[in-house]
């Protein structure tokens, strides 16, 4: 099984600077061993250009550390997120103009036909399977936590005070606890995986995401979803990646 797809980022209609960072490495090997695919989105936050610095650091460190370790994906992702958190925190400590910066980060590793998730913040990962879109990540926001605690209804989430409060972000403190899957999710032929920042999900419904990714190839789905977010106001940076699980032509028939 291999992953093919596309990922795009757009500044949106309001902001002057794009503080999102995205990456997709289809395959990487070391010592003749294939370490699989890695995709991630990071949505930076902080004054001036600090958010851009934080998300770019997350992308660079997670990618480098993940592919440098001869570990199972869950252990490699944990080490990569820990290293990225420390790198962003230390950079901010040395650069006063970046004080308080941080970034969400949602990453997907694919190896040996298994999907692995690592996640901090409110960027999202979805799985489209058998016509149904399922959110794989849990939003680490105040309202999402209140819903999980039974204090707030899902209908009220995202409205009013506290709707944009993120409970965790890389680089904001040393004791960040990413969600890391300890077991991989077996992929099936035709599965579609989506990565995106809240610049998309705040303006585009899950139903519209499902329609776009199920009816269009990944590059076109990305374009259509970004266009939809821009038509909705585009008040934030917009990033989205769409990836399809395909049987490798070298795989023998089962």
């Amino acid at each position: 099984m291999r992953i093919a797809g596309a990922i795009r980022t757009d500044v949106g209609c309001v902001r002057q600077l794009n503080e999102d960072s995205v990456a997709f490495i289809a395959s990487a090997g070391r010592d003749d061993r294939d370490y699989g695919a890695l995709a991630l989105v990071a949505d930076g936050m902080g004054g001036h250009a600090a958010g851009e610095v934080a998300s770019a650091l997350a992308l660079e460190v997670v990618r480098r550390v993940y592919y440098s370790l001869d570990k199972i994906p869950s252990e490699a992702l944990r080490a990569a997120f820990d290293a990225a958190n420390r790198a962003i925190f230390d950079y901010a400590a040395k650069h006063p103009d970046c004080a308080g910066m941080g970034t969400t980060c949602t990453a997907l590793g694919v190896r040996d036909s298994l999907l692995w998730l690592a996640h901090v913040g409110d960027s999202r990962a979805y799985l489209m399977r058998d016509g149904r879109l399922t959110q794989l990540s849990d939003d680490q926001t105040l309202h999402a936590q209140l819903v999980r605690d039974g204090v707030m209804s899902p209908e009220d989430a995202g409205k009013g005070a506290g709707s944009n409060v993120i409970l965790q972000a890389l680089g904001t403190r040393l004791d960040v606890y990413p969600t890391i899957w300890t077991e991989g999710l077996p992929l099936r032929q035709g599965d579609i995986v989506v990565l995106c920042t809240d610049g998309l999900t705040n303006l585009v419904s899950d139903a519209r995401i499902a329609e776009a990714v199920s009816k269009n190839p990944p590059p076109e789905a990305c374009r259509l979803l970004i266009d939809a977010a821009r038509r909705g106001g585009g008040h934030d940076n917009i990033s989205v990646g769409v990836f399809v699980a395909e049987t490798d032509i070298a795989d023998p028939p089962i």
Side-chain angles (χ1 to χ4, degrees):
M1 192 74 68
R2 70 183 187 94
I3 290 291
I7 194 164
R8 288 186 57 183
T9 186
D10 187 272
V11 70
C13 302
V14 175
R15 299 194 175 185
Q16 299 299 310
L17 183 68
N18 192 344
E19 294 185 318
D20 288 359
S21 293
V22 302
F24 173 48
I25 301 95
S27 181
R30 182 164 56 85
D31 300 329
D32 296 324
R33 179 176 174 182
D34 186 2
Y35 278 57
L38 179 70
L40 67 84
V41 295
D43 181 356
M45 61 200 76
H48 305 292
E52 181 183 40
V53 173
S55 67
L57 269 173
L59 185 153
E60 193 278 327
V61 174
V62 169
R63 178 198 58 78
R64 173 172 51 80
V65 173
Y66 181 78
Y67 283 119
S68 70
L69 299 175
D70 187 10
K71 295 179 177 290
I72 63 173
S74 59
E75 294 176 358
L77 285 168
R78 184 169 300 280
F81 270 54
D82 287 347
N85 185 59
R86 168 63 79 168
I88 297 165
F89 187 88
D90 289 349
Y91 188 97
K94 296 175 183 176
H95 299 82
D97 55 328
C98 291
M101 73 177 181
T103 183
T104 73
C105 190
T106 303
L108 293 168
V110 177
R111 191 182 304 174
D112 300 327
S113 299
L114 296 174
L115 178 72
W116 306 79
L117 171 75
H119 170 69
V120 170
D122 65 347
S123 295
R124 290 182 179 177
Y126 293 92
L127 173 67
M128 185 77 180
R129 174 179 284 176
D130 298 332
R132 180 180 179 184
L133 187 73
T134 302
Q135 187 174 333
L136 299 177
S137 57
D138 289 325
D139 295 346
Q140 295 179 351
T141 63
L142 176 59
H143 278 199
Q145 187 60 52
L146 291 173
V147 171
R148 287 191 289 269
D149 292 342
V151 177
M152 176 178 285
S153 70
E155 293 74 24
D156 290 334
K159 303 174 184 176
S163 60
N164 62 345
V165 174
I166 297 176
L167 301 181
Q168 287 204 114
L170 293 183
T172 56
R173 60 180 190 265
L174 288 178
D175 56 339
V176 172
Y177 303 99
T179 296
I180 310 283
W181 283 0
T182 56
E183 295 185 3
L185 174 71
L187 287 171
R188 301 177 188 171
Q189 169 76 14
D191 280 350
I192 302 171
V193 183
V194 181
L195 277 178
C196 55
T197 57
D198 68 340
L200 180 76
T201 54
N202 285 341
L203 295 171
V204 180
S205 69
D206 285 4
R208 180 69 184 92
I209 294 172
E211 179 184 25
V213 304
S214 62
K215 295 183 178 179
N216 299 277
E220 181 67 4
C222 290
R223 184 190 68 79
L224 290 171
L225 289 171
I226 288 175
D227 287 350
R230 290 180 63 90
R231 288 195 303 272
H235 52 70
D236 198 355
N237 308 141
I238 311 155
S239 297
V240 58
V242 181
F243 312 99
V244 182
E246 302 175 343
T247 301
D248 194 308
I249 57 174
D251 289 347
I254 298 176

